[in-house]
Amino acid sequence: NHPTNTIAKDLLSKKQKDMITSLKEGDKVVTVGGLVGEIASVQEDTVEIKVDKGIRLQYKKKAIAQVIK
């Protein structure tokens, strides 16, 4: 492994960890599988995502790819 690759991976994982720890109710998110929804509740290592009226799905926090601003 080239040292630059390791640094890039470390930065990415820190950025991902920071994003995961800052997840809160009301955030619009995209999962790694492409699901788009709004966080309805946050637990220790899962989130409940509202995708439609009355439809909520539970995901591991690490499955969240990005928060949509």
Side-chain angles (χ1 to χ4, degrees), residues 12-49:
L12 183 62
S13 66
K14 181 183 178 347
K15 187 176 179 182
Q16 180 82 359
K17 286 177 189 173
D18 290 347
M19 187 258 313
I20 287 170
T21 58
S22 68
L23 291 172
K24 60 189 179 306
E25 288 182 26
D27 283 349
K28 284 193 168 191
V29 296
V30 180
T31 68
V32 292
L35 178 86
V36 178
E38 183 178 311
I39 294 182
S41 67
V42 179
Q43 292 80 41
E44 188 173 331
D45 61 323
T46 61
V47 291
E48 194 172 80
I49 301 174

Side-chain angles (χ1 to χ4, degrees), residues 1-16:
N1 262 350
H2 192 271
T4 307
N5 290 342
T6 304
I7 292 169
K9 287 178 185 175
D10 289 345
L11 288 175
L12 183 62
S13 66
K14 181 183 178 347
K15 187 176 179 182
Q16 180 82 359

